[in-house]
Amino acid sequence: MESTENEPAPAARRHHGNRHRRSEEARISVLQAVDGLLVEIGYARLTIEGIAQRAGVSKQTIYRWWSSKDELLMDAFSKDASDWMIPSDTGRLRDDLRAHAQRVAEFMANSDAGAVFRALLAQAQHDGDLAERLRSEFLVEQKTYERLPLEAALQRGELPQNADPDLLAAQVFGPIYYRVLVSGETVTPAFIDALVDLTLANTVASGSRPGS
Amino acid sequence: MESTENEPAPAARRHHGNRHRRSEEARISVLQAVDGLLVEIGYARLTIEGIAQRAGVSKQTIYRWWSSKDELLMDAFSKDASDWMIPSDTGRLRDDLRAHAQRVAEFMANSDAGAVFRALLAQAQHDGDLAERLRSEFLVEQKTYERLPLEAALQRGELPQNADPDLLAAQVFGPIYYRVLVSGETVTPAFIDALVDLTLANTVASGSRPGS
Amino acid sequence: MESTENEPAPAARRHHGNRHRRSEEARISVLQAVDGLLVEIGYARLTIEGIAQRAGVSKQTIYRWWSSKDELLMDAFSKDASDWMIPSDTGRLRDDLRAHAQRVAEFMANSDAGAVFRALLAQAQHDGDLAERLRSEFLVEQKTYERLPLEAALQRGELPQNADPDLLAAQVFGPIYYRVLVSGETVTPAFIDALVDLTLANTVASGSRPGS
Amino acid sequence: MESTENEPAPAARRHHGNRHRRSEEARISVLQAVDGLLVEIGYARLTIEGIAQRAGVSKQTIYRWWSSKDELLMDAFSKDASDWMIPSDTGRLRDDLRAHAQRVAEFMANSDAGAVFRALLAQAQHDGDLAERLRSEFLVEQKTYERLPLEAALQRGELPQNADPDLLAAQVFGPIYYRVLVSGETVTPAFIDALVDLTLANTVASGSRPGS
DNA sequence: GGGTAAGCGAGACGGTACGTCGTGTCTTCGC
DNA sequence: GCGAAGACACGACGTACCGTCTCGCTTACCC
């Protein structure tokens, strides 16, 4: 993993032709400190000073490269999130949907990256900029992948022409997000199976009788 | 100095009426201050000192009765939340479901109480105790009401015997919560209609024969 | 327990002919609490709330009868101070002066009442009213007693006519106060003897040669 | 500025391994604020917050460099006290003693520095550490200077060999401290003259033959 | 001998200041 | 010229007492 790829900030690259450049070592150790502290003490007690100390870095260095705690979390999150997004493609809609739903549930509820995501989402409730960034950098793509099995099936003719992949994806994944973020219920495989089955039964039924 | 006992002059009553027990006046004005400030400056900039000042109350009084900012929000929320929960009951499932879904969407996305709710839910992501309290004091009941139209329909025979109201409610309301809390998309009436239609089409189609 | 003997305060006795009267029990236990707390935790950490709690009395009761912490201390002090003031009178100036100086030194440096006195004197540095009260209720009398052996000796002809008892007392007692209050040196009998001897030698010498 | 290890500033530098320098500007303005506030509102109403505000400094900065209000006062006092201590030396004991006694009385009763000193001495009654510091940093030196004219006279042979400068100084200065700190009487030139005359008359008379 | 008013405990109240923590900015100096 | 170290002004924290104010109880006087 050549880690300049997660470095899109142009300001950080301004020093390109200079003698001195950003310390990659510092950057890495900050992001690791964030990961570690998030797990150990939780978001609520995460402080810039704590991160700096843990990373063996000065506060100034953090402020130089990240404009806020949330942006720092975004970076720490991006580092890990992509692993979870891409659905399998077996050619069987029901299986692909179940597998990806299971994967998303696992990510959201049990992974470290998911914990960071929930923390970011929580912050995003009071911070429109963060919300926007979270959406454009993660959710848009995430949603695309959630729709992917359905669109593939649509292309294959496994779903009726007038089926709406967006809506169907919403009915499969919405309840999963709800359980993790809101009700705190565990997302069991049985629940996922029921969701997928009902959704597909529905689609076939309504898709075949569009006039109803 | 023998006449200090009774205050005949009503004009001299500058002091808030303190009972030996808790001052209801103080309690009310604190909760109102929380409501007002949440709307005006948002959760992120809400401080105990600000609330105390706005309410004309000492910090100590707040700390005496509420153990944390979140508990205070919880109380302020309880005060307003109940208005939104109860679904109408026209006897027609589709109408009732649409109406209640619309109502929930409105509450979540646009009401003051909904703003408090989102703030609490955000905090609950890092605070298990708050999460538990939020669930037991609000979400359990809220969920019951979301299921109500479906259970009524089940009793009326408008739904097949083997339909699962819980699951159906999840497929209607889950996507609504998702849009408000996660993706930030507006919840349009058309979206709600589509959700309800799809959910009911399915149930009727798969759960029992449409002709019955 | 009708302990009216330590009750000189006329305000407290005002209720004599009334139906209702001050609780002597409360008064005593407050003053005892002050004494105890002063010794145990020192003046700096003495609080009205602490006194009330220790005395098993409500704050209001304290505020009802004493207008300030210092006034309370004054009362606690008056209770004990008088024991130390009166000098012996053997008819021999040197002996009487030594004995009383020793007594005053003991009071100031080592007695409980002396500790209260030092605390009051400290407060009096920033509180003119207290200073005035301390002077009129204690120091005037105390100074009279310090002068007493010298004045008696003057009457007896043991001192020259033009000797100034005030000035002589100042030279004997001033250095004692200085050691206790300022330098913290212990006031030894040897120091007292030297002071008295020098003062008397001086007086005889200068008193006999008034023209010098 | 090539070496941080040597501080040209007269104030003590206690942060050893620290390569970052204390803001001299902040230090000065804090001490000036203390001086100003003491005079304007008095010790009793002096608060750290008030000092910080007046100095344009954060509370944290005060707490960083001074461990208590008293230590802060101690510093503010040291700044000004030394002006008052050194006695003149005309070679005539009576004149020197009178002049220095007058100077000390002026310092104690009427100067700003004296007001700080009285406040510190008051605090020192309930705080042994402060008492010790006040003694070692001020009183020892002060006492030396009070003795100086007497010791010079002793050396010159103006006093008998067996005269005790310590005791003599105590009899001159003790009563002055007493009047300022305890009785509140003003220290008049006449009082000082009387003290000095009486003290010297004695010594000359008893210690050696007046004719010498 | 019942009514009633003062003293009392308890403690909530609006405040002020405390001493601490974390923020984001700034400066110094080592590499 | 980046980066560590950390001082700085600022703002909020949660706590301790302040002095004021009911409240409900007890008690002792007076009618």
Side-chain angles (χ1 to χ4, degrees):
Chain A
M1 182 187 295
E2 73 291 3
S3 50
T4 50
E5 98 177 15
N6 278 338
E7 177 64 286
R13 260 20 209 118
R14 180 108 49 80
H15 303 281
H16 201 63
N18 288 358
R19 276 185 288 171
H20 308 286
R21 65 176 199 285
R22 173 173 187 179
S23 160
E24 190 60 14
E25 194 181 351
R27 191 184 138 270
I28 297 290
S29 85
V30 167
L31 293 181
Q32 283 177 349
V34 169
D35 277 357
L37 286 172
L38 250 188
V39 169
E40 287 174 31
I41 64 173
Y43 178 89
R45 296 165 57 201
L46 195 66
T47 66
I48 298 281
E49 291 200 332
I51 295 165
Q53 187 154 9
R54 164 93 161 226
V57 140
S58 80
K59 281 199 299 176
Q60 185 57 40
T61 299
I62 294 180
Y63 284 110
R64 179 141 42 220
W65 301 111
W66 292 278
S67 67
S68 70
K69 203 165 73 176
D70 294 330
E71 191 175 307
L72 183 44
L73 275 170
M74 274 298 301
D75 263 23
F77 174 59
S78 301
K79 182 162 60 71
D80 309 321
S82 46
D83 303 345
W84 296 90
M85 296 204 292
I86 301 179
S88 58
D89 181 3
T90 65
R92 275 158 290 139
L93 173 57
R94 187 174 310 258
D95 290 351
D96 289 346
L97 215 46
R98 281 181 172 176
H100 192 51
Q102 188 63 56
R103 192 169 178 73
V104 166
E106 185 67 19
F107 161 75
M108 288 284 296
N110 301 321
S111 73
D112 283 1
V116 183
F117 175 67
R118 292 198 308 276
L120 284 166
L121 202 54
Q123 278 318 98
Q125 301 303 321
H126 341 110
D127 180 347
D129 290 351
L130 176 63
E132 189 42 53
R133 209 177 147 198
L134 192 57
R135 280 157 198 162
S136 66
E137 293 188 22
F138 177 70
L139 286 170
V140 166
E141 197 173 359
Q142 171 74 351
K143 208 168 184 183
T144 302
Y145 285 122
E146 290 171 358
R147 223 166 27 220
L148 212 55
L150 290 155
E151 283 175 340
L154 194 59
Q155 295 247 314
R156 287 196 303 268
E158 206 176 335
L159 285 177
Q161 295 279 7
N162 64 347
D164 179 349
D166 231 72
L167 194 63
L168 296 174
Q171 286 204 310
V172 171
F173 291 94
I176 294 173
Y177 283 90
Y178 176 85
R179 284 205 161 185
V180 175
L181 298 174
V182 184
S183 75
E185 296 161 278
T186 56
V187 182
T188 62
F191 181 64
I192 288 174
D193 289 355
L195 279 174
V196 170
D197 288 352
L198 201 49
T199 301
L200 295 189
N202 150 38
T203 310
V204 172
S206 79
S208 62
R209 298 183 298 117
S212 74
Chain B
M1 65 175 66
E2 60 283 3
S3 60
T4 50
E5 68 148 275
N6 238 343
E7 285 289 355
R13 275 268 163 264
R14 283 204 318 274
H15 297 277
H16 312 281
N18 305 337
R19 328 229 158 348
H20 186 196
R21 289 300 173 201
R22 174 174 188 175
S23 158
E24 189 63 12
E25 194 181 351
R27 193 185 131 264
I28 296 290
S29 83
V30 167
L31 294 180
Q32 282 176 350
V34 169
D35 278 358
L37 286 172
L38 248 189
V39 169
E40 287 174 31
I41 65 174
Y43 178 89
R45 297 165 59 200
L46 195 65
T47 66
I48 298 282
E49 286 196 337
I51 295 165
Q53 188 155 7
R54 164 92 159 228
V57 140
S58 80
K59 280 201 292 178
Q60 189 59 59
T61 295
I62 295 181
Y63 285 110
R64 184 154 30 226
W65 300 111
W66 293 277
S67 66
S68 70
K69 204 165 73 176
D70 293 332
E71 192 174 308
L72 184 43
L73 276 171
M74 198 59 218
D75 265 22
F77 175 58
S78 300
K79 182 164 58 73
D80 309 321
S82 46
D83 303 344
W84 296 89
M85 295 203 292
I86 300 179
S88 56
D89 180 4
T90 64
R92 274 157 291 139
L93 173 58
R94 188 174 310 257
D95 290 352
D96 289 346
L97 215 46
R98 281 182 173 174
H100 192 53
Q102 188 63 54
R103 191 170 179 72
V104 166
E106 185 66 19
F107 161 73
M108 288 285 297
N110 301 321
S111 74
D112 284 359
V116 183
F117 175 68
R118 293 198 309 276
L120 283 167
L121 201 54
Q123 281 315 103
Q125 302 303 320
H126 340 112
D127 180 347
D129 289 351
L130 177 63
E132 188 43 52
R133 214 183 141 192
L134 192 57
R135 281 160 197 160
S136 66
E137 293 189 21
F138 176 69
L139 287 170
V140 166
E141 197 173 358
Q142 171 75 350
K143 210 169 182 180
T144 301
Y145 285 121
E146 291 172 358
R147 227 170 22 224
L148 212 56
L150 290 155
E151 284 177 338
L154 194 61
Q155 295 245 317
R156 290 195 302 265
E158 203 176 340
L159 284 176
Q161 296 280 6
N162 63 348
D164 179 349
D166 230 74
L167 194 62
L168 296 173
Q171 286 205 310
V172 171
F173 292 95
I176 293 172
Y177 284 90
Y178 176 86
R179 285 205 160 185
V180 175
L181 297 174
V182 184
S183 74
E185 295 161 278
T186 55
V187 183
T188 60
F191 181 64
I192 287 174
D193 289 355
L195 279 173
V196 170
D197 288 352
L198 202 49
T199 301
L200 295 190
N202 152 55
T203 309
V204 172
S206 76
S208 68
R209 289 309 86 200
S212 74
Chain C
M1 175 188 301
E2 72 294 357
S3 52
T4 50
E5 97 179 14
N6 276 336
E7 177 63 284
R13 259 19 208 120
R14 178 106 52 80
H15 302 281
H16 200 64
N18 288 356
R19 278 184 285 175
H20 308 286
R21 69 175 199 279
R22 175 175 187 178
S23 159
E24 190 62 14
E25 195 181 352
R27 192 186 136 268
I28 296 290
S29 86
V30 166
L31 293 180
Q32 282 177 349
V34 169
D35 277 357
L37 286 172
L38 249 189
V39 169
E40 286 173 34
I41 64 174
Y43 179 88
R45 296 164 57 202
L46 195 66
T47 66
I48 297 282
E49 291 200 333
I51 295 165
Q53 187 154 8
R54 164 90 160 229
V57 140
S58 80
K59 282 200 297 177
Q60 184 58 34
T61 297
I62 294 181
Y63 284 110
R64 180 149 35 226
W65 300 110
W66 293 278
S67 66
S68 70
K69 202 165 73 176
D70 293 330
E71 191 174 307
L72 184 43
L73 275 171
M74 275 297 301
D75 263 23
F77 173 58
S78 301
K79 182 164 58 76
D80 309 320
S82 46
D83 304 344
W84 296 90
M85 296 204 291
I86 300 179
S88 57
D89 181 4
T90 64
R92 276 157 289 138
L93 173 58
R94 187 173 312 257
D95 290 351
D96 289 346
L97 216 44
R98 281 181 173 176
H100 192 54
Q102 188 63 54
R103 191 169 179 72
V104 166
E106 186 67 17
F107 161 73
M108 289 284 296
N110 301 321
S111 73
D112 283 0
V116 183
F117 175 68
R118 293 198 309 276
L120 283 166
L121 202 53
Q123 276 319 97
Q125 301 303 320
H126 339 112
D127 180 348
D129 289 351
L130 176 63
E132 190 41 54
R133 207 176 147 198
L134 192 57
R135 280 158 199 161
S136 66
E137 292 189 21
F138 177 70
L139 287 170
V140 166
E141 196 173 359
Q142 171 75 351
K143 208 168 182 183
T144 302
Y145 285 122
E146 290 171 0
R147 223 168 26 223
L148 212 55
L150 290 156
E151 284 176 338
L154 194 60
Q155 296 245 317
R156 288 195 302 267
E158 205 176 336
L159 284 176
Q161 295 277 8
N162 63 346
D164 179 350
D166 231 71
L167 194 63
L168 296 174
Q171 286 204 311
V172 171
F173 291 94
I176 293 173
Y177 284 88
Y178 176 85
R179 286 206 160 185
V180 175
L181 297 174
V182 183
S183 75
E185 295 161 279
T186 54
V187 182
T188 61
F191 181 66
I192 287 175
D193 289 355
L195 278 175
V196 169
D197 288 351
L198 201 49
T199 300
L200 295 189
N202 151 37
T203 308
V204 173
S206 79
S208 65
R209 298 183 299 115
S212 75
Chain D
M1 186 172 303
E2 59 288 357
S3 72
T4 51
E5 92 179 19
N6 247 341
E7 285 289 347
R13 281 282 174 270
R14 289 186 300 279
H15 37 299
H16 313 289
N18 202 340
R19 70 175 188 270
H20 304 282
R21 288 175 51 241
R22 172 176 189 177
S23 159
E24 190 63 13
E25 194 180 351
R27 193 184 130 264
I28 297 291
S29 81
V30 166
L31 294 180
Q32 282 175 350
V34 169
D35 277 357
L37 286 172
L38 248 188
V39 169
E40 287 174 30
I41 64 174
Y43 179 89
R45 296 165 58 200
L46 196 65
T47 67
I48 298 283
E49 285 195 337
I51 295 165
Q53 186 155 8
R54 164 92 161 228
V57 140
S58 78
K59 279 199 295 178
Q60 188 61 60
T61 295
I62 295 181
Y63 285 111
R64 182 150 36 226
W65 300 111
W66 293 278
S67 66
S68 69
K69 204 164 73 175
D70 293 332
E71 192 176 307
L72 183 43
L73 276 171
M74 197 60 217
D75 264 22
F77 175 58
S78 300
K79 181 164 60 73
D80 308 322
S82 46
D83 302 345
W84 296 90
M85 295 203 294
I86 300 178
S88 56
D89 180 4
T90 63
R92 274 158 291 140
L93 174 57
R94 187 174 309 259
D95 289 351
D96 288 346
L97 215 45
R98 281 180 172 177
H100 192 53
Q102 187 63 56
R103 192 170 178 72
V104 166
E106 185 68 18
F107 161 73
M108 289 285 295
N110 301 322
S111 74
D112 284 359
V116 183
F117 175 69
R118 293 197 310 275
L120 282 167
L121 202 54
Q123 282 315 102
Q125 302 303 321
H126 343 109
D127 180 347
D129 289 351
L130 176 63
E132 189 41 52
R133 214 183 140 193
L134 192 57
R135 280 157 198 163
S136 67
E137 292 188 22
F138 177 69
L139 287 170
V140 166
E141 197 173 357
Q142 171 75 354
K143 208 167 183 183
T144 301
Y145 285 122
E146 291 172 356
R147 225 168 25 221
L148 211 56
L150 290 155
E151 284 176 339
L154 194 61
Q155 294 245 315
R156 290 195 302 265
E158 203 176 339
L159 284 176
Q161 297 280 6
N162 63 348
D164 178 349
D166 231 74
L167 194 64
L168 296 174
Q171 287 205 309
V172 171
F173 292 94
I176 293 173
Y177 284 89
Y178 176 85
R179 285 205 161 185
V180 176
L181 298 174
V182 184
S183 74
E185 296 161 277
T186 55
V187 182
T188 61
F191 181 65
I192 288 175
D193 289 355
L195 279 173
V196 170
D197 288 352
L198 201 49
T199 301
L200 296 189
N202 152 56
T203 309
V204 172
S206 75
S208 69
R209 290 307 88 199
S212 75

